[in-house]
């Protein structure tokens, strides 16, 4: 569920980036991973 993710635009790229979709100025969304097994995740509070 959206709410705690990071969002923004790519401002710079490292020289090791090979993904053709990642270019300066491209909007990005940074979701977080959830384990689904700990107490916060089980009570619907994964963030
Ligand atoms: Zn968890």
């Amino acid at each position: 569920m959206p709410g705690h993710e990071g969002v923004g635009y790519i401002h710079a790229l490292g020289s090791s980036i090979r993904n053709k979709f990642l270019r300066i100025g491209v909007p990005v969304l940074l979701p977080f991973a959830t384990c689904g097994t700990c107490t916060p995740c089980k009570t619907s509070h994964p963030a």
Side-chain angles (χ1 to χ4, degrees), residues 35-38 41:
C35 68
T37 59
C38 70
C41 287

Side-chain angles (χ1 to χ4, degrees), residues 6-42:
V7 295
Y9 293 89
I10 294 176
H11 187 69
L13 290 173
S15 60
S16 64
I17 300 298
R18 295 287 181 261
N19 188 320
K20 65 180 179 181
F21 295 107
L22 299 179
R23 300 188 312 272
I24 292 175
V26 171
V28 290
L29 170 67
L30 308 174
F32 56 84
T34 59
C35 68
T37 59
C38 70
T39 298
C41 287
K42 286 180 177 178

